[in-house]
Amino acid sequence: MGFFTDTSVCIGCKACEVACKEWNGVPEDGLEFTGMSYDNTQGLDADTWRHVAFIEQDKPMGRAETGAAGDLRWLMASDVCKHCTHAACLDVCPTGSLFRTEFGTVVVQEDICNGCGYCVPACPYGVIDRREGDGRAWKCTMCYDRIGVGMEPACAKACPTESIQYGPLDELRERAALRVDQLHDQGVDDARLYGHDPDDGVGGDGAFFLLLDEPEVYGLPPDPVVTTRDLPSMWRHAGLAAAGLLGGVVAAFAVHGRAGGGR
């Protein structure tokens, strides 16, 4: 199960942010006006599990005509934990606090988390974070308690435009591909999918997106890779190096023993 977020119909209402906080008991996070955007949450962290970005661009949308004030469009996108197929946060968690659910999602058990923070730099998207004054790691659970009883996640339920869609990933990918084709036919040539490919560097995301520009415009990495990808080879090389060192020590003692016996 997963999320498909169609940013082309996001209106920036932030209903998803509010619903997420209300259902999951996520603390209020300041709501400070940055002076740079209408986005007052700025990014995902331990106290913001859904984040609606506001991106202003000097260009028209698709075949829209240029107005008297020049070209302008808003890109609005509700970001969330990607629930990676190959999740580095799972690989590095020493307590088993992070686990893979029966729905394929990744959840933090806050009662087991010891606050080590290993998961924070492991995430290629910068999603997971430790809560100030608490120390434990927190992130989107895809409303594990709701989907376990057949309900939609709170953010998808609250979205008035169905920008956030929840369901089986295979069905969502088919729906997303059709939506991209529709936008291309309407002249929105920049429309593309992000995180949908099971063959990408994280094995595909459980939460993927339809974007209207390059991923970097939305603050997303263009080619995310699971950060623990090289751990097996690193341990293998470390083991070989240790074995070589041990062999050298044994050989040195053997030579020393023979030399001592000769005296």
Side-chain angles (χ1 to χ4, degrees), residues 25-109:
V26 180
E28 183 270 329
D29 50 0
L31 303 179
E32 298 177 1
F33 183 63
T34 64
M36 299 180 292
S37 166
Y38 288 108
D39 172 15
N40 56 8
T41 44
Q42 304 179 54
L44 296 171
D45 59 28
D47 294 335
T48 300
W49 298 0
R50 267 281 179 187
H51 163 242
V52 180
F54 289 72
I55 303 160
E56 188 176 285
Q57 290 187 321
D58 291 327
K59 61 189 299 185
M61 178 73 75
R63 299 192 182 99
E65 296 182 1
T66 302
D71 299 340
L72 177 67
R73 71 173 182 176
W74 282 100
L75 298 184
M76 298 172 183
S78 180
D79 197 9
V80 72
C81 171
K82 313 305 179 293
H83 295 274
C84 309
T85 299
H86 303 314
C89 57
L90 282 175
D91 294 338
V92 302
C93 180
T95 66
S97 171
L98 282 146
F99 74 102
R100 179 84 60 186
T101 74
E102 66 270 32
F103 303 103
T105 58
V106 180
V107 172
V108 182
Q109 300 173 95

Side-chain angles (χ1 to χ4, degrees), residues 122-137:
C123 176
Y125 297 101
V127 167
I128 197 165
D129 189 26
R130 289 190 295 175
R131 183 169 293 166
E132 186 176 349
D134 179 292
R136 294 173 296 174

Side-chain angles (χ1 to χ4, degrees), residues 88-164:
C89 57
L90 282 175
D91 294 338
V92 302
C93 180
T95 66
S97 171
L98 282 146
F99 74 102
R100 179 84 60 186
T101 74
E102 66 270 32
F103 303 103
T105 58
V106 180
V107 172
V108 182
Q109 300 173 95
E110 64 272 10
D111 57 330
I112 300 176
C113 178
N114 67 357
C116 69
Y118 294 166
C119 55
V120 176
C123 176
Y125 297 101
V127 167
I128 197 165
D129 189 26
R130 289 190 295 175
R131 183 169 293 166
E132 186 176 349
D134 179 292
R136 294 173 296 174
W138 301 81
K139 72 170 192 68
C140 164
T141 68
M142 206 176 284
C143 287
Y144 183 44
D145 54 343
R146 290 175 63 93
I147 64 178
V149 293
M151 299 170 66
E152 282 186 289
C155 56
K157 184 68 174 177
C159 182
T161 64
E162 297 186 353
S163 171
I164 301 170

Side-chain angles (χ1 to χ4, degrees), residues 144-186:
Y144 183 44
D145 54 343
R146 290 175 63 93
I147 64 178
V149 293
M151 299 170 66
E152 282 186 289
C155 56
K157 184 68 174 177
C159 182
T161 64
E162 297 186 353
S163 171
I164 301 170
Q165 302 175 33
Y166 167 78
L169 279 172
D170 289 341
E171 293 181 13
L172 292 177
R173 288 171 181 146
E174 291 180 8
R175 193 182 307 166
L178 291 174
R179 176 60 177 158
V180 169
D181 290 341
Q182 182 184 39
L183 288 170
H184 286 172
D185 291 341
Q186 294 173 0

